[in-house]
Amino acid sequence: ASLGRRVFLLGAALAAAVPASPADALELPAILGGDQGSGWGEAAKPGIKWDGGFANPLVPQADEFAFEMVNGNQTPVVISLVKPSKWKLSTNTGITIQDYIQTDGGFVLVAPMPEGSKSIADVKPRYIYDKVFDIRGRYGTFGKVDAVSTTKDKLEKEPAGEVKYVDFKFTTLSPGGRDIDRTGCIKCFEVDGDLIMFVASSNSNRWKNVRNTISKSLETFSAVQTPKTKLRSTSENSGIGNTAALGKSGYDLLRYDSDVW
């Protein structure tokens, strides 16, 4: 996971020095990375063609984006989201959006549905937390997170299907070992036997300032199965990650047990 962490930290350092610019959400998302080998593919197969560079904070980004990728069953899945206009999108080691000036951020995470579960309604918050706070994941950087509490757990019917919303609070450690209280929310879809989640959080002392911003993005998050096409490989078409550099890409980088982020 060290390579992924270096990618993340360097990208964050670059972005923190440059203010984000609002972008037109009606346009296709803007190019990330360098000038060579990067750019958007066909409109029918949206996604960033990653060229091995970092998400460039100097390049404007649209707020609305979508990625088509193939899961382990070779089933095409489209993941889409509208990010806050001042946040930055990075697809170097997954799908991550973040306000680099503050500590607010979110990411897409994939885990298998619990054994025996027939629908998203059967998924308990504790199972979700086990995957979100896995020691190998983003929240496990400075140690295992045990203090997690649920403030809301509800099911909703949406055009893309039934979804689960979970609001939660937790305590994590800073690099210096200090306790930090954070508040967040999760939206979950069941797609072809997988639980696909968007997880977002902020420091609890900032939550009242960003709650509406995060909630609006959470509502736009969607993960749906699409008819099978000629799309064969997550490596070539999804625009997530770089196989040559990281050893994996696409859907595999979104998994809760990925060793690269």
Side-chain angles (χ1 to χ4, degrees):
S2 59
L3 174 59
R5 290 185 177 126
R6 289 199 297 271
V7 169
F8 174 79
L9 292 173
L10 181 54
L14 289 170
V18 183
S21 301
D24 185 354
L26 297 179
E27 297 177 357
L28 281 176
I31 294 172
L32 297 182
D35 292 329
Q36 296 181 354
S38 63
W40 281 97
E42 301 172 358
K45 294 182 179 179
I48 298 165
K49 294 180 180 177
W50 194 77
D51 70 337
F54 298 104
N56 189 342
L58 295 174
V59 176
Q61 296 179 355
D63 295 339
E64 184 176 4
F65 61 90
F67 301 97
E68 183 180 10
M69 58 195 71
V70 175
N71 68 13
N73 298 326
Q74 291 299 300
T75 300
V77 177
V78 172
I79 295 175
S80 60
L81 182 93
V82 179
K83 70 175 182 63
S85 61
K86 292 185 178 181
W87 293 24
K88 285 293 182 179
L89 162 70
S90 174
T91 59
N92 298 326
T93 58
I95 300 175
T96 304
I97 60 173
Q98 189 165 355
D99 179 348
Y100 289 121
I101 305 302
Q102 304 294 338
T103 60
D104 318 323
F107 57 94
V108 177
L109 192 70
V110 173
M113 283 284 286
E115 187 174 351
S117 296
K118 296 180 180 179
S119 72
I120 195 75
D122 297 329
V123 181
K124 305 301 182 184
R126 175 46 55 188
Y127 180 83
I128 295 171
Y129 300 150
D130 285 345
K131 306 310 177 188
V132 170
F133 294 101
D134 188 276
I135 192 65
R136 293 163 289 188
R138 298 173 189 272
Y139 287 139
T141 305
F142 305 111
K144 184 171 175 56
V145 176
D146 292 315
V148 186
S149 61
T150 303
T151 58
K152 184 185 293 185
D153 174 15
K154 66 176 182 178
L155 291 172
E156 295 254 344
K157 294 281 189 180
E158 296 188 359
E162 191 173 47
V163 300
K164 177 181 280 286
Y165 286 92
V166 177
D167 293 354
F168 64 101
K169 293 183 178 180
F170 67 102
T171 301
T172 187
L173 292 175
S174 71
R178 180 170 58 89
D179 284 349
I180 298 177
D181 294 328
R182 292 185 68 86
T183 302
C185 45
I186 307 170
K187 184 176 181 180
C188 309
F189 285 86
E190 186 278 320
V191 181
D192 194 33
D194 278 340
L195 189 65
I196 302 182
M197 301 169 273
F198 177 64
V199 185
S201 71
S202 172
N203 280 2
S204 293
N205 59 11
R206 276 186 46 78
W207 183 247
K208 66 179 182 180
N209 298 323
V210 298
R211 178 176 55 193
N212 289 340
T213 298
I214 290 177
S215 294
K216 288 178 181 177
S217 281
L218 198 77
E219 290 171 359
T220 69
F221 174 67
S222 177
V224 296
Q225 180 176 330
T226 62
K228 290 192 175 182
T229 67
K230 294 181 179 179
L231 184 62
R232 299 291 183 186
S233 168
T234 60
S235 303
E236 298 297 326
N237 297 281
S238 74
I240 310 299
N242 181 293
T243 303
L246 303 176
K248 63 179 67 178
S249 67
Y251 200 79
D252 289 339
L253 281 173
L254 304 181
R255 296 190 62 85
Y256 81 98
D257 54 359
S258 171
D259 59 355
V260 177
W261 58 264

